[in-house]
Amino acid sequence: MIKARLFFGVVLLSVLALLAGACAKPSPVPAPAPTPTPTPAPAPTPAPVPTPVPGPTGTVQVYVTDAPPRDEVTSIMVTVSGVKIHKAVAEQERQQVQSSGDNQTQEQQQTQQAGGEWLTINLSDNATTFDLLTIKGIEQFLGASEVEAGKYTQIRLVVDKVEVTLGDKKPQEATVPSKELKIVHPFKVVGGEITAIILDFDADKMVTVTGAGKIMVKPVIKLSIRQGKSTDRDGKPQPTTTGQAAIEVSCNEFMETHHISRELEVAVGEAFTVTLCSNPTTGFQWLESAQISDPTVLEQVDHKFVAPEAKGKGPPAPGTPGQEIWTFKALKEGESTVSLEYSRPWEGGEKGEWTFVLTVTVK
């Protein structure tokens, strides 16, 4: 009995000790000191933006011309509602200078058009609709505006409608992939000078007739720029400069039609060039001196042969045609024809295989 009580006492004391330990409070752990918040530095005061001061201005003129189409196409009526040019910002001007020797694709160049400014060219009231076939070999005035001098990067032509006539059928409205034609071609407007933009439509590559008789037109345009300071007799700007009027006839055109005629209108004192396909390896050659019906109106001032350019790494293939280029100058008002003949010069050789006749009106 004593042993039993003694064991109970020990157990009771053990239980009391455990309860006392459980009820004891742990010592508090000091909280970490708060991290001081840094005071932000004051924002820099932006530099004042200077107000742009308008600089000198130049005149931009727009012309349209055309190469001959297929025989079955007798008319291509184009209606234009707008022409815009894109003025580059300073950064784009530097990019153009830095990349002037690079072969950039049109897609790469178009990515640079995000900034800058689009300027609208005032169109002539009677020139917004024209037939490409009636302006082949000549340049029809489309419109002009005075704009700020500087670098420009792109031209946009808004085409409302194109109607094509095949043979003697009625005109049929054609389907155009896009009403807005974009042409990336950097150029510079010089203060006090005239910048002429020539949009050369290649009608022969534009028209496609489907099996169902539907006509599709995909405009193919070559753009060239020329500049000058002169005016015509009415005091209107007339570029007669670095980029003189030019007429060019390809080998494909002569293969389709051996005898080609064109018309051209120039101002007194203006020079122009005629470029014709030429392949001396065939034994044929053009007359070195053109036949001019009235030498008092026109004179020939130069003639040269330009060999074909190499494509790729190697030289051009044997038999690749080159070009012959004649330069003429208008001496006075009047009309004269320029006649050229492509023949084999030796006795008994074929004569007049190809012929080219240009009627020139000097005003």
Side-chain angles (χ1 to χ4, degrees):
M1 179 64 74
I2 296 175
K3 291 183 179 177
R5 289 178 179 174
L6 181 62
F7 177 74
F8 176 80
V10 172
V11 171
L12 180 59
L13 290 174
S14 299
V15 171
L16 292 174
L18 290 173
L19 292 174
C23 295
K25 293 182 179 180
S27 300
V29 178
T35 303
T37 303
T39 303
T45 303
V49 179
T51 302
V53 179
T57 62
T59 301
V60 173
Q61 297 179 332
V62 182
Y63 294 81
V64 288
T65 188
D66 177 44
R70 299 183 182 90
D71 291 340
E72 67 267 23
V73 178
T74 54
S75 175
I76 305 177
M77 296 295 297
V78 179
T79 300
V80 174
S81 63
V83 176
K84 295 182 179 181
I85 58 176
H86 180 269
K87 188 178 189 304
V89 294
E91 180 61 26
Q92 289 172 339
E93 291 188 18
R94 288 193 292 270
Q95 290 174 353
Q96 286 179 14
V97 173
Q98 294 169 358
S99 62
S100 59
D102 300 336
N103 293 324
Q104 290 183 299
T105 65
Q106 179 162 321
E107 288 77 12
Q108 290 173 325
Q109 291 171 329
Q110 286 179 336
T111 60
Q112 301 175 359
Q113 311 306 319
E117 180 183 8
W118 283 100
L119 305 176
T120 300
I121 302 299
N122 298 323
L123 299 183
S124 175
D125 293 337
N126 58 356
T128 55
T129 299
F130 48 86
D131 187 348
L132 292 181
L133 270 63
T134 64
I135 62 172
K136 60 183 180 182
I138 64 174
E139 295 170 3
Q140 176 170 314
F141 179 72
L142 190 59
S145 288
E146 188 173 346
V147 300
E148 186 179 356
K151 292 285 185 67
Y152 290 77
T153 61
Q154 187 180 149
I155 297 95
R156 288 186 179 178
L157 185 70
V158 181
V159 177
D160 278 355
K161 183 172 62 174
V162 178
E163 291 184 319
V164 176
T165 303
L166 301 177
D168 56 358
K169 298 179 181 179
K170 293 182 179 180
Q172 179 179 339
E173 185 167 353
T175 301
V176 183
S178 174
K179 297 293 186 180
E180 189 174 73
L181 310 181
K182 303 176 183 179
I183 308 165
V184 176
H185 187 115
F187 63 94
K188 187 175 182 179
V189 174
V190 180
E193 294 192 5
I194 299 162
T195 301
I197 302 173
I198 297 91
L199 303 173
D200 187 356
F201 287 80
D202 191 344
D204 188 43
K205 299 177 181 178
M206 287 174 48
V207 179
T208 300
V209 182
T210 67
K214 185 178 180 180
I215 299 177
M216 302 185 67
V217 169
K218 184 177 182 180
V220 179
I221 303 176
K222 180 175 66 177
L223 186 145
S224 59
I225 305 291
R226 65 174 188 259
Q227 292 176 308
K229 297 181 179 180
S230 64
T231 58
D232 60 18
R233 291 178 300 169
D234 298 325
K236 296 180 181 179
Q238 179 70 32
T240 59
T241 61
T242 58
Q244 55 210 6
I247 290 180
E248 182 175 341
V249 184
S250 67
C251 291
N252 289 338
E253 293 175 64
F254 276 117
M255 294 299 292
E256 293 180 1
T257 305
H258 291 188
H259 309 288
I260 295 178
S261 298
R262 296 282 179 86
E263 296 179 354
L264 178 66
E265 184 176 299
V266 296
V268 175
E270 184 175 359
F272 62 92
T273 61
V274 174
T275 302
L276 305 179
C277 166
S278 180
N279 192 347
T281 63
T282 62
F284 286 91
Q285 57 185 248
W286 291 98
L287 296 173
E288 183 173 349
S289 297
Q291 297 178 358
I292 300 175
S293 63
D294 190 342
T296 66
V297 174
L298 296 175
E299 70 171 345
Q300 178 179 322
V301 296
D302 188 36
H303 168 257
K304 61 182 178 182
F305 174 77
V306 178
E309 295 182 358
K311 294 184 178 180
K313 297 181 179 179
T320 302
Q323 294 178 321
E324 288 191 59
I325 303 175
W326 294 259
T327 303
F328 302 90
K329 184 177 180 180
L331 302 177
K332 69 174 187 179
E333 293 184 7
E335 185 174 287
S336 182
T337 59
V338 173
S339 301
L340 289 162
E341 184 179 296
Y342 194 59
S343 305
R344 283 177 168 158
W346 58 81
E347 185 176 354
E350 294 91 332
K351 306 298 180 185
E353 178 68 14
W354 295 345
T355 61
F356 176 78
V357 177
L358 175 65
T359 302
V360 182
T361 302
V362 181
K363 295 186 176 181

